[in-house]
Every structure is written in C-alpha cells, then in structure tokens.
C-alpha cells in the first residue's frame, strides 16, 4: 500500500471545492515579447521560483526585475549563472556528457503574455542554450531547433563554439565507461569500487528551472539542462518540450520540472500542473495532484524501464515548481525530502518541497 503525505485527502477535497474559480477573460495580444499582462488585475507581487540549484538564479532574476528587466530576460540571466558554472554538472558548461563523452544541452523558454515559446535540443558546443531558445522564440517562426541545426542557428547569431566538457565531467564519464560492463574492452585504472565522491555523478537528471512574475503580472519561465548523464547521443529530455519541462499561461500561472524527463514527457506534466491551477487548485495542490496522476500512470509502464518497483510505485525522481498569477508558489517532489529556491520579494532562500510519497 502506498504511503502518502497527510495533506493528500485535503488536496483532493480542495480540488473539487476549488474547481473553475480562476479562469480570467482574454485580451487582445500583440507583439512577441512586449510585457503586456493578460488576465485579472495582478496582485503587484514579484517572485522568482527555481529548483534547488537555482538560488543564485532567483537572486539575480529578482535583482533584474527590480531594475525593470522583463521577467523572461531576468530568469534567463539567472540560469545563465548556473549554465556558466563548471561545478554544476547537470547544466551547461561542465554538464555530464552523453555516452560518447559529448555534452549535449536542452533548453526552453516560454513567455506568458504572448504564449510564445522557443527551445533547442541536443545542441553541442554552446554553453547558454537558454539564450538560444529565446532567439528561436524571437527570431524564427519555429518552436524547437535540434542538433546541428540548432548549432548553426546559434552561430548565425554570433554565439561562439566552446568545448563544454570539463576535466571533472570527462573523468566522471570515463569512470562510468570503464565500469559499466565487464563485456567490453575498457578497464578502470584500478579494479575497485568507485570512490564515494564519484558515486553521485554516475547517473543524473539534474536541470534548472526558473519561473518569475513581476509587478505588472507578467509571467515567464526557462528550463535548461545537460539532461540524463551518459544518455544515447541525440536523446532529448523534457526540458525543451513545452508542456513537459515548462509551461506558462499568463491567465493562470507557470510550472516547470526537474527529474526523469521520460516520465514527464509521457504525461505532459507541466501543462497538467498549470491546468490544475486553472481549475482552482493552489500551486502545491496542483503539483501533488500531477505527481499522483504520474504515479498512477507509471503502474502501467513496462517494468523493463526500471521506473517502478515490484509494487508499481515510482522509483524515479521528479520535481515540479509552480507559481500562479497571485504570486503563490510551491515545489513538490515524488518521494522523500527535497528543496526548491524562492525569492519572495523579501528574501531569497531554500524551502521544503511537498511530497507525494514518504521515502
Ligand atoms: N529533466 C532532465 C532530463 O531528463 O533531461
């Protein structure tokens, strides 16, 4: 039997009571990145919400929004700090590579007032894919560019090709390659168990998502990642998929995700979080109800995917972050303890995520 957090019963009750209370009238939309808010009069709040690795991102986004920077440019500038950081091995420069030892990055952006989006997937040699995603939104008629086409597009806009593989990431990849099988010709330097400090970088799904709202009620979001470490070349995760790794609706709110992208893509989960908020659920209720939906669907997924235990309970990590038009926010995780970053206009800090299952 599943063990759930005690708030679940309240959550489901709230879902029924709160349904259909939060849909706002539409307004005419013009321009692609003008900061026109849509929907009910905004509450005048300013917020930045991110995954736990985004504490510097929320701080920077808030600083920029206070100076009048548009929320989308503000969150992109925030996550650029993490993309540039060689010590975050889940995003941008220094991210863990694919199975061939090549770093491939995914990113998406979405802008609430225009419902416009842009994304790049499996892009190589460009350390700020979030900025390229914004250009796909602003300077093409498309939503998503991949691989070599995304790289060509970035170079056309003046981005410089860089080697994104740091020595630390290369050594982690080499250890993985040398120890993953005894059926190949690779041998580790010493045939011993991996040192403790290399264990956590064996397989990861780290990512950064950052959402923001300004005083004018403009909502925006970005998600950027190096994706699943040691993935097959060309594998694309949820981060650049609008509706999976990110979704923003200026009439309702914004949601983003980190964790196992395949679980998220199969369930269009960030879109689902926003839709639940549109039905009147709070951000926390919306995230938890979405996680519950995913857990129920996961029971049907093939056991060979390794995403569920013998009882059908999810074994994968998945987090959602949500921010509504009133400035209410939440983070929620599938299992156990997790944190997320928030700048609430007063202070910047990590908060506990709600959870669906106890560890
Ligand atoms: N959520 C990141 C990925 O699975 O690629």
């Amino acid at each position: 039997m599943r063990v759930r957090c005690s708030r679940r019963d309240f959550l489901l009750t709230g879902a029924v009571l709160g349904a259909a209370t939060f849909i706002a009238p539409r307004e005419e939309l013009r321009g692609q990145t003008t900061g026109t808010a849509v929907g009910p009069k905004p509450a005048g709040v300013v917020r930045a919400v991110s995954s736990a690795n985004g504490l510097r991102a929320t701080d920077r986004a808030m600083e920029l929004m206070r100076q009048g920077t548009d929320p989308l440019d503000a969150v992109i500038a925030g996550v650029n700090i993490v993309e540039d950081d060689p010590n975050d091995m889940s995003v941008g420069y220094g991210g863990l590579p694919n199975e061939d030892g090549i770093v491939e990055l995914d990113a998406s952006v979405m802008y609430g007032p225009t419902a416009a989006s842009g994304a790049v997937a499996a892009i190589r040699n460009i350390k700020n894919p979030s900025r390229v995603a914004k250009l796909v939104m602003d300077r093409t008629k498309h939503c998503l560019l991949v691989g070599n086409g995304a790289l060509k597009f970035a170079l056309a806009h003046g981005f410089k090709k860089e080697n994104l593989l740091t020595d630390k990431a290369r050594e982690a990849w080499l250890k993985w390659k040398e120890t993953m099988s005894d059926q190949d010709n690779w041998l580790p330097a010493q045939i011993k168990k991996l040192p403790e400090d290399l264990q956590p970088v064996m397989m990861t799904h780290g990512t950064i998502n950052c959402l923001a709202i300004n005083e004018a009620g403009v909502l925006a979001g970005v998600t950027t990642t190096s994706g699943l470490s040691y993935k097959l070349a060309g594998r694309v995760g949820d981060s650049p998929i609008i509706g999976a790794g990110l979704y923003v609706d200026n009439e309702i709110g914004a949601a983003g995700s980190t964790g196992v992208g395949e679980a998220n893509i199969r369930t269009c989960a960030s879109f689902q979080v926003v839709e639940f908020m549109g039905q009147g659920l709070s951000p926390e209720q919306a995230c938890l109800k979405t996680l519950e939906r995913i857990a129920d669907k996961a029971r049907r997924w093939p056991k060979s995917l390794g995403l569920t235990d013998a009882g059908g309970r999810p074994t994968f990590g998945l987090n959602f972050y949500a921010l509504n038009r009133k400035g209410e926010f939440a983070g929620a995780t599938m299992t156990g303890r997790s944190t997320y970053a928030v700048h609430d206009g007063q202070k910047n800090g990590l908060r506990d995520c709600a959870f669906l299952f106890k560890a």
Side-chain angles (χ1 to χ4, degrees):
M1 192 177 144
R2 287 193 276 196
V3 181
R4 297 182 194 257
C5 62
S6 57
R7 84 170 48 86
R8 181 184 171 246
D9 289 341
F10 165 74
L11 182 168
L12 294 175
T13 311
V16 174
L17 293 177
T21 60
F22 202 49
I23 306 295
R26 287 182 181 278
E27 290 175 12
E28 185 75 14
L29 291 171
R30 289 194 187 84
Q32 201 165 23
T33 56
T34 57
T36 313
V38 180
K41 190 174 182 307
V45 294
V46 189
R47 306 269 191 266
V49 176
S50 182
S51 41
N53 55 348
L55 210 46
R56 289 171 295 167
T58 48
D59 208 36
R60 181 75 180 133
M62 183 59 66
E63 184 186 13
L64 288 171
M65 286 193 290
R66 282 188 176 133
Q67 293 166 12
T69 302
D70 184 87
L72 183 53
D73 292 326
V75 292
I76 292 171
V79 301
N80 285 166
I81 297 169
V82 184
E83 288 176 332
D84 291 346
D85 181 356
N87 293 316
D88 190 312
M89 299 177 82
S90 69
V91 179
Y93 176 64
L96 289 169
N98 67 17
E99 68 175 2
D100 302 327
I102 298 168
V103 179
E104 291 187 334
L105 304 177
D106 300 337
S108 65
V109 300
M110 192 160 184
Y111 192 61
T114 54
S117 67
V120 290
I123 188 171
R124 299 179 177 185
N125 299 111
I126 302 290
K127 75 175 173 188
N128 296 123
S130 59
R131 290 174 50 213
V132 187
K134 170 79 160 42
L135 279 169
V136 171
M137 182 182 99
D138 286 343
R139 303 286 290 271
T140 78
K141 295 181 178 176
H142 304 313
C143 290
L144 173 62
L145 296 179
V146 306
N148 204 36
L151 174 60
K152 272 173 60 184
F153 174 76
L155 296 176
H157 279 278
F159 284 79
K160 299 282 173 269
K161 267 177 115 166
E162 292 176 69
N163 176 17
L164 304 182
L165 188 68
T166 58
D167 277 346
K168 190 175 168 193
R170 182 186 52 74
E171 279 169 21
W173 166 77
L174 195 57
K175 292 276 187 315
W176 168 80
K177 185 128 182 103
E178 289 175 336
T179 55
M180 63 182 276
S181 170
D182 57 8
Q183 304 290 306
D184 61 25
N185 296 310
W186 293 78
L187 286 177
Q190 45 188 4
I191 306 186
K192 278 189 186 159
K193 199 170 167 287
L194 275 179
E196 214 45 52
D197 64 339
L198 276 174
Q199 296 288 349
V201 295
M202 286 306 285
M203 293 292 271
T204 70
H205 287 83
T207 297
I208 181 166
N209 164 250
C210 191
L211 312 169
I213 187 166
N214 70 4
E215 284 191 345
V218 172
L219 277 156
V222 58
T223 304
T224 176
T225 188
S226 54
L228 171 67
S229 55
Y230 322 131
K231 59 195 172 188
L232 300 190
R235 177 264 189 190
V236 172
D238 57 324
S239 303
I241 308 297
I242 293 299
L246 178 68
Y247 197 72
V248 182
D249 183 333
N250 223 82
E251 299 180 17
I252 301 170
S257 180
T258 58
V260 174
E262 282 75 6
N264 200 2
I265 292 171
R266 287 191 181 105
T267 52
C268 302
S270 288
F271 178 76
Q272 181 72 78
V273 171
V274 172
E275 283 300 291
F276 280 145
M277 288 196 289
Q279 291 169 17
L281 271 64
S282 71
E284 183 176 304
Q285 290 169 340
C287 290
L288 287 171
K289 195 165 180 198
T290 299
L291 286 164
E292 184 174 53
R293 281 263 176 105
I294 295 168
D296 287 341
K297 285 181 179 157
R299 293 178 169 281
R300 285 179 261 148
W301 294 346
K303 288 280 169 286
S304 56
L305 298 178
L307 293 173
T308 47
D309 65 17
R313 180 172 145 166
T315 51
F316 54 87
L318 196 57
N319 282 21
F320 291 101
Y321 316 96
L323 172 64
N324 70 16
R325 270 187 61 78
K326 292 190 266 186
E328 297 165 337
F329 52 82
T333 190
M334 183 64 86
T335 306
R337 291 182 67 82
S338 189
T339 57
Y340 68 111
V342 179
H343 200 312
D344 63 7
Q346 304 294 318
K347 64 178 184 357
N348 192 37
L350 291 177
R351 301 184 186 220
D352 288 336
C353 287
F355 57 87
L356 186 62
F357 296 106
K358 279 184 184 161

